[in-house]
Amino acid sequence: MAELHIIGQIVGGTGFPQNSLFCKWGVHTGGAWRLLSGLKEGQTQVDIPQVGDMAYWSHPIDLHYATKGLQGWPKLHLQVWHQDSFGRCQLYGYGYCHVPSSPGHHRISCVTWRPLGSWQEQLAQMFVGGGPQLRSPDLIYSGADRYRLHTEAMGTVELELGVIMRHFDKYGVES
Amino acid sequence: MKDQQSSDEDPGETLKRTLKAQLQRRKKRVLERSSAQGTHVDDYDDDDVEEISTVQQRSEDEGPSEKAADPDGLSRPPTGSLRGLSSRIQHTADSQHLDDFVTRRLEEKRRAARAKVENAQPQEVSPEPASRLQSLRDRDTVTRFDRAVDPERAGRQDVPPTLSTRVKFREVARRASKGVPTAEEAYNFFTFNFEPDPQEETEKISRKRKKQKKASEGGDEEGGEDDDEQEDAEVDEGNQDEHEDQSEEAPLVRDEEGDLFVIEQSSQDFLEVKKAEYIGYRKCIQQESELLFRPSFRTVPTSIKLPENMKPRFLEDEGLYAGERPPVSLTNENILENRILKTEEGKKWFGDDGRIMALPDPIKESSTRPPLFQMEEDVDPALHTVYRKAVKSKYAYLYIAGSADPEGDYQLDVDVSGLIFSHHPLFSREHVLGARLAQLYDQYLTRQHNNLTGHLTDKLNGSRIALRNMLNVHGSQSLTPVMQQRISEYSLEVRNTRQLRDSEQEKDRTLLKNIVKVWKELKAQRDLQKYTNTPFKLYLRRENVDRASDEREYEDEILAEVVELEAESEEDYQRKLAEYKTQLEEWKLWRRKQKSKKKKKKKKKKGQAQDETEEEDEDQEASESEGPVEEGHPKPEPPEKPDFDSIEQQVREKASRIRRKPGEAILIPELSASGNITASELCPRPETARREDVTRRSLFIKILYNDKEVSRTDSRSLNSDFKVHFGQIFNLKIVNCPQSISLQVFEEIGSSCSLLAQVYIPVPEPSVLTGNGTLEEFEFSSNQRVMFDHDGVGSDVPLSFEADGSNKQTLLTSGKLSCCVSWGIGEDDVPLAPPVSQQPGGLHSGLGRLDAVTYIGASGLYDMKKIGEWATQSRLDPNDPKNGSIMQLLKLASSGEVTAPEYFRLEQLQEEFNFVTDEELERSKRFRLLRLRSQEVAEFRNYKCVPALEREVTDKVFQEYERRLKEGEEIDTRDHLDPQRARKAKQHQKIREAVINRFILAKHHFLLSDLVIEEEIPSIGILGLNLFKLAEPKRPLKPQRKERKKVTAQNLSNGDIKLLVNIIRAYDVPVRRPQSGPGQSSQTAIQGSDWLISQVQVRPFVEVSFQRTVLQTTTAEGPNPCWNEELQLPFSAPNGDYSTASLQSVKDEVFINIFDEVVYETGVTDKDKGKSIHTRVEKHWLGSVKIPFSTIYSQSRIDGTFKVNTPAVLLGYSKERSHGTNGGYDALRSLSEGAFITLFITIEPQLVPGETIREKFDSQEDEHLLQAAERFERDAARVYLDRPCITTVIDLNGKTVFITRYIKPLNPPQELLDAFPENSQEATALVARFVSLIPSLPDRVSFSGTCDLWSTCGEFLTLLAGDEEEHAVLLCNYFLSMGKKAWLIIGTAIPEGPTAYVLTYEQSRYLIWNPSSGQYYGQYDTFCPLQTVGSLVNADNVWLNIQEYTSPMTINFDVSKANLWKPFFSRSFTHPGLSSVQPEQLSYKRADKAAAADLQDSIEKILKEKIMEWRPRHPTRWNRYCTSTLKQFLPKLELSGGQDMAEGHRHELQSLLGDHRISGFPLHLPFSEIGPIIEAVHSTGVHNIQGSNVEFALAVYVHPYPNHVLSVWVYLASLVRT
């Protein structure tokens, strides 16, 4: 019966090779969690910053969860996409972070990565865009044997999340 | 220095003894000094003093010792040695022995050296070399300090020798001693500064200081040495001398000390300059070799490394495991070993084999991370990456979660190989036989292949032999029970096998017989018809056998069988016998009991004892003769002895039946298709006709995926052998989850094709891939009845091959379709199959992938039992760690927890850590409320504040919602009165929900313009216009219309919105009828009194009621009143929800009622004596206009003149205008009938109407057509803004459909046509009336304004509710079927706004039909509600109005003129032949009179109750007499279609109710629900009539039309007794 509010925003992304970016996001929870209201997934607009490197989205996140257990604490997964000058979109990074478990305001920066692909793919990516994507994006948060995957580090996504917890103390969870 | 001193005083050696006293004295002085200086502790005793002195001595001593050491070995470098020495001295302070030893040796050396020098040198020379040597030796000491000695000495001796001499002397001395100068000497010679030192004093002081320093430093340490010195005091005479010297000098220094420090302090006193040092390499090496240990790199012999008397032991040789040692170079290892050996316990580092102990090589042979090229092949499928091109994101999937892959990476391969008919209507009789033969032969072949008989025979023989052997071996001995059991088992098996074999043999035999029989029939058939149709030929190959052996075998077999059977029957008999015996025993027992009972009885009788015993004896005989005396226990029958003869007989009989006779040849049938088919020319006519028919036919197969056709094969012609080969593979890229795959076999004859059969094919398992799928044969059949006049046998037709026509068979078309469905394989060998199981909802597929069961490939096995079976079958290795999880699972399953596998598999730890249970979570009312609100459930959509605490949420909140949920299941007939309607309403509701759900997502799609509002930058032109405007003259009397500001709905609340109704004027309001009817004597009085008033004819006022708020205008006078009044009505939205969607679905209507105000004088009261007149005001309803709020909302304003809906009969009023009053006006007016009212309605503030969904719907239309349609509409919208033009519409399934598909002639109900067989005009009107009686329900109300859906006529008639478009389409279709020329008009009308009307052309004039009211207007009718005509539609084309005007009066409807009407399909873009979406034919249910009567009664009851309810303070009396009269009248009204027939009726009424003043009217409504009827009755305000003597009359009539369309008449009248 404990409740959790996650209110915040996806501020923006920085450190990517190009900065005309947008972000798809989703919140993944375990079976014990019920979404009472709010959208748990979405997509930001494309921001093409004219000053500076950081693409600002300021995309709101407002979720209200009820839970019957701590298992499967919400985690946030992100996909950063790049929209090139032709309006085509290509994946720039997968990212994943936990929603903080302490109440209050948090600044989170979520690092992202993307699959590297074979050299042919890299070459193709250089010239015609596109790029390798995970066939099953679940991999972002399921801990399979990821070591075989060759990846490349991309930029970071900045998040600001406010966490409000309610009735957790009733069940012996100190915050 | 000592040397020099000692050498000085050598001559006076004799004085030594005397000097000893001086030494003592000096010691004392030193003591004093030290105490004075405070460097030493005062309480030192004598020993200490002595020590100090020795220190001094010692320090002096060093020099000579060096000097002495010097000559005897060059091996010691001067500085190093000195330092080493001193350090050693210090170091070994505690170990005295070594020290002693060294000093002694030094002493000796010194002495030796001294002796040499003494021998070689003259006395005077000696001091210089000494001093020089010392300076040389002692690097630490200051050079001047060394030199200082010389002047001092010189001063003392008064013999200052010159430098040169001194050098010379020394040179000589060296030469004398050595001959060759040493390296240092040479060095010193060149570098040394021999200048005499001027500052003796300072030197001395500094030296003194040095000494003291040294003393303090080494005081303790050199105590030992001191002792030594003292021990051999006699040896050190020189030393003592020196001491003496120093002691003499010491006071001097002391005296001067203070001054010196003060005065002469220069940098030179503290600094010393060092020379650059150089140590030769070899020396270095030497030195190092002393200090360092260099392990050798030679191999260490094993014996050293091991403890003594041990032999090296090699574990590997002993067979024990020894890991491989890490590779180390041999040298390194040797060095290490050598080093370790030197250390203490070095040997512990060595193992038994004499080598250094080492762990096995930790480095793996292969690199852990696979190289890049390797990775491509064997990577986990979850890690696969896909190269996706950069694409425009328009249709890319929106969200991450639930990412239905838009690219559809799944592929189904459907391989349609071919089909074979086992029966086809075109089969000739011969074909039928041939097919049967082929079938039998197939059966024969498979049997042959399986060879069951052979197997069983072998088995039988084997077990027989085994049994025999067993019996032979153990035959003689008595059998053990185990053996016995085995024998019985064997014999049982033999018996079973034999039975099986017999049956198989029999089958074989009959099959063979059948084949032969059919073949014979076939041959007979061929003979009969004299031609052959089928190529079948059956050969019977004979295989001769050796008769003798065959016979022997046969006999053996029979014998064996007989023996066995005998044995069996014997056994059986024995068993039965045993059974019988036990039964008999029982029976006897029972019998005895009976007897004893009897006896007891009989004893009393006494007499027949003898008989009894006899009887008993008889019983004891157990003979079969006597039956049981009493019923209950029958006496058991003894079993019969088996008849062995008959057994053999039976066996032989059977054998002859099922087996080949001995010696008979084995027949092997061989079927070949090598026969010739008679050419068609040679066949008789029917056969050729059949063959021609066959060739005409061709077959193709449609592939349906999820019941949608996705592909079809080429059509292949049917061969004469009725086999069709397709051999086509279809790759289906699928997006939707596969639910069904089916193949439809179609037969084509010429251009028409018919469905033969449909074959459903199971969706393959994900593991079935294209490579490994096998072709399977699916049987199909169809029960179509086909008959031919030629030789084809047809289908479902009885058919006989017998001559007499008996034994008829009925054959159905059937066959086998061979095909294969499998999942495709991608380029990179990735199966394009969907993941095994998509868990529903929140479970994540990632989990599924890690699931143990799916991981090992047992996909889809979620049944525990099945898993168990599977595990046992596949013999899982329980020790294999890979199978650990499944073993655990099975253990759990077997322990009985099969029922709860959910949390085992998923989140098994979850339960333990849960705060609360699921149920509790579900119970929470607050959470429920929150969730319902976020799901936008209608009741909670705009619930503003959810309480923060659980207890504040009341159950009341959910009541309504729960009730609705419950209602969903059961139809509430209470509100609807009509179960039929209720069902319709339910259906409608369902469709509505489906539509809304479909649009919920679409609502979240935004365009840029929805989100970003950009003010347009004014162009130069606009700026210019604005400038001109400034110059315009001001015209205050011509006010300009200002655009009102639009308000978005979200920030509104109750009371903010007002409905403004401006009532301007009315025309032709009915006037009061002068009560001058015949025989109205009773009313003359009133008439007389009313005369003045009634001159006015009518005093109408308008009452507007909306949401039960009623406002009225002032009363005007005359039939053409003018009010020009504005009424403001408040508006409140349901649930306080002012969102667009909610406002659009407001169903409330605005009623504008026209009343006549009638004032009656009730008479003069007596009190006031005629001064005041009491009047009673009554209002009489004259007519009304209804405007739905949704129309006002979507139109934002309604402005125009409306026809007032006046009742057909208005008692007391007449519609006739008073003649002659304004004749000129009449000419225009006569064009229409009825009253009209001019209104202006709007909403304040102006609301933004909801926009329709701009969703692009999928469509089955051709892409070209869609594009053209879009273009057409766009062009129309650009050029003609106000002309609505529709080319594509959305059907109920959410698909875009071209509009012309809706137009198709459809039959109206036959009953309507039959009503007026000869009068087509009447029939047309009736049809229009029928259409108008179907209740109208705007789409924006029913579908929350999401979009305008067009249902087909069939759907419309089923739902019985629809928009104007549906009405129009239906009417248009009816007209078309009635042979009229009809079009659909897409235009705008008042008050509906954009709508659809119907245009017909008859008798060279155009008529415009309003489908919702059923009325028609001529083209030039002024009061036609249709305002603009945008486009016309019929079944073939769409025309856009491109004329100058849009009003129907001013346009030409001739669509053939291209300059007036722009056609959609033109010569350049021809009509592609679009088929209609309408049903072939409409079927109607007959009008149900009984249901209508029921409904009529219930409506009447409800209305009466309601009226009474509305008059709470007055009694409501019903005039039964009047009611019955009205009731009779209503059906007539219905028949006349509401035409005016009032006159007669009125007269009738008047005559009946002579003494009543009556006012009333009939209301007519289409029936949908009871609510609108109540509302309409209420709005007339009849119930408001007060008065004590008022009576009411209410009559209801429901007229049924076909298909449950109902017309409701309510006649309402008030009667006042006069």
Side-chain angles (χ1 to χ4, degrees), chain B residues 337-470:
Chain B
E337 282 178 1
N338 275 316
R339 187 172 66 73
I340 286 172
L341 274 176
K342 285 282 187 243
T343 58
E344 283 175 65
E345 295 179 337
K347 280 179 187 169
K348 78 169 183 190
W349 292 105
F350 293 98
D352 287 341
D353 56 351
R355 304 185 68 185
I356 290 179
M357 285 187 286
L359 288 173
D361 192 354
I363 298 166
K364 284 185 185 169
E365 280 185 27
S366 62
S367 55
T368 315
R369 181 169 179 134
L372 199 60
F373 58 85
Q374 219 184 343
M375 164 193 139
E376 297 301 322
E377 288 101 50
D378 51 15
V379 105
D380 188 334
L383 295 173
H384 273 306
T385 58
V386 200
Y387 187 84
R388 294 248 162 86
K389 283 184 199 148
V391 281
K392 293 227 179 192
S393 65
K394 201 167 181 189
Y395 297 111
Y397 58 102
L398 279 170
Y399 307 124
I400 302 171
S403 58
D405 228 333
E407 311 220 337
D409 264 335
Y410 309 134
Q411 183 184 321
L412 263 181
D413 289 350
V414 182
D415 181 353
V416 183
S417 150
L419 62 90
I420 303 166
F421 280 100
S422 55
H423 182 77
H424 189 268
L426 284 172
F427 268 22
S428 65
R429 299 166 84 82
E430 192 188 330
H431 273 109
V432 175
L433 292 172
R436 201 180 298 163
L437 184 64
Q439 206 180 338
L440 286 172
Y441 185 68
D442 268 353
Q443 215 177 330
Y444 171 79
L445 281 184
T446 47
R447 288 191 72 82
Q448 230 21 45
H449 181 73
N450 290 341
N451 197 12
L452 264 179
T453 319
H455 284 305
L456 288 171
T457 315
D458 288 351
K459 191 180 171 190
L460 185 63
N461 288 339
S463 30
R464 269 178 190 161
I465 290 163
L467 187 63
R468 206 176 306 142
N469 285 347
M470 213 182 289

Side-chain angles (χ1 to χ4, degrees), chain B residues 1189-1249:
Chain B
F1189 176 77
S1190 58
T1191 310
I1192 302 168
Y1193 179 62
S1194 60
Q1195 298 289 306
S1196 84
R1197 71 191 177 102
I1198 282 176
D1199 189 3
T1201 303
F1202 300 89
K1203 187 176 179 196
V1204 177
N1205 191 10
T1206 49
V1209 178
L1210 207 52
L1211 291 179
Y1213 290 86
S1214 83
K1215 285 176 192 167
E1216 300 142 24
R1217 281 166 295 277
S1218 44
H1219 297 287
T1221 44
N1222 33 17
Y1225 193 41
D1226 256 358
L1228 184 68
R1229 193 73 55 75
S1230 64
L1231 287 171
S1232 67
E1233 291 190 337
F1236 291 87
I1237 185 166
T1238 310
L1239 292 171
F1240 176 80
I1241 305 177
T1242 189
I1243 302 169
E1244 175 69 33
Q1246 190 175 15
L1247 297 174
V1248 182

Side-chain angles (χ1 to χ4, degrees), chain A residues 3 34 68 129 133 135 166, chain B residues 386-387 915 922 926 948:
Chain A
E3 293 169 58
R34 303 280 155 86
K68 59 172 173 133
Q133 292 175 24
R135 184 155 281 171
R166 189 171 190 237
Chain B
V386 200
Y387 187 84
F915 298 157
E922 290 299 328
R926 184 165 164 267

Side-chain angles (χ1 to χ4, degrees), chain B residues 502 558 561-562 565 569 643-659:
Chain B
D502 285 351
I558 284 177
E561 208 174 317
V562 167
L565 279 176
S569 48
D643 182 6
F644 292 116
D645 299 338
S646 68
I647 286 175
E648 194 180 342
Q649 194 61 36
Q650 279 169 10
V651 168
R652 280 194 184 279
E653 244 171 54
K654 194 181 73 182
S656 67
R657 198 175 69 242
I658 64 168
R659 246 169 265 169

Side-chain angles (χ1 to χ4, degrees), chain B residues 800-857:
Chain B
S800 166
F801 288 96
E802 308 289 322
D804 55 351
S806 65
N807 195 11
K808 285 200 172 182
Q809 298 165 296
T810 305
L811 291 168
L812 292 176
T813 311
S814 59
K816 279 186 215 160
L817 177 71
S818 66
C819 70
C820 162
V821 181
S822 54
W823 292 102
I825 295 177
E827 301 136 1
D828 40 356
D829 287 343
V830 180
L832 299 174
V836 173
S837 62
Q838 297 287 1
Q839 278 111 329
L843 303 182
H844 214 273
S845 51
L847 279 171
R849 206 162 280 127
L850 300 173
D851 186 23
V853 179
T854 48
Y855 199 80
I856 47 179

